[in-house]
Amino acid sequence: MTKDGSVQGFERVSAADLVPGELRSVGFGTGARICLGNAAGELFAVADRCPHSDFPMSKGTIVDDKFIECGWHGAQFDCRNGDVVQGPADDPIRTYDVRIADGAIWVRNKP
């Protein structure tokens, strides 16, 4: 953390109050919407649009404490790396690095 309370290279996007099983849509500095989730106590961040149907992932569900499922057609993605684990999606979902500091959730684009 830097002197001003920020986490170097990360952007503060939310208070760190996500409960297990919760999904939340937040804005990112680039204008993108991100879906924050809590999978059994592990926070993750993915693009808030399903690559298959352009449906908000924040309107989906967390499955088996490790996958996020699109609420429209049931495509599932690994919360950690964005890989498709169940179609109909063919393309992975974008993921972001997540940190918790000073009571907040901080996110950055993966290198």
Side-chain angles (χ1 to χ4, degrees):
M1 193 176 326
T2 62
K3 287 181 182 179
D4 68 359
S6 65
V7 178
Q8 191 165 2
F10 286 73
E11 179 179 329
R12 184 185 191 280
V13 294
S14 177
D17 60 353
L18 281 174
V19 297
E22 183 180 356
L23 297 172
R24 178 183 300 164
S25 180
V26 298
F28 193 56
T30 63
R33 297 298 299 176
I34 295 174
C35 174
L36 295 177
N38 184 331
E42 295 293 322
L43 296 183
F44 66 91
V46 297
D48 197 22
R49 302 312 272 177
C50 178
H52 166 256
S53 63
D54 200 35
F55 191 77
M57 294 304 293
S58 56
K59 303 240 185 246
T61 56
I62 295 174
V63 178
D64 296 333
D65 294 329
K66 57 186 169 189
F67 307 120
I68 183 169
E69 181 176 276
C70 177
W72 196 352
H73 294 120
Q76 290 183 10
F77 306 88
D78 188 308
C79 296
R80 298 161 295 186
N81 58 27
D83 288 347
V84 176
V85 294
Q86 175 178 297
D90 293 319
D91 297 319
I93 196 165
R94 182 183 182 106
T95 60
Y96 298 82
D97 289 327
V98 178
R99 301 285 182 268
I100 297 177
D102 199 28
I105 299 172
W106 300 76
V107 176
R108 75 171 174 187
N109 283 319
K110 285 195 171 182

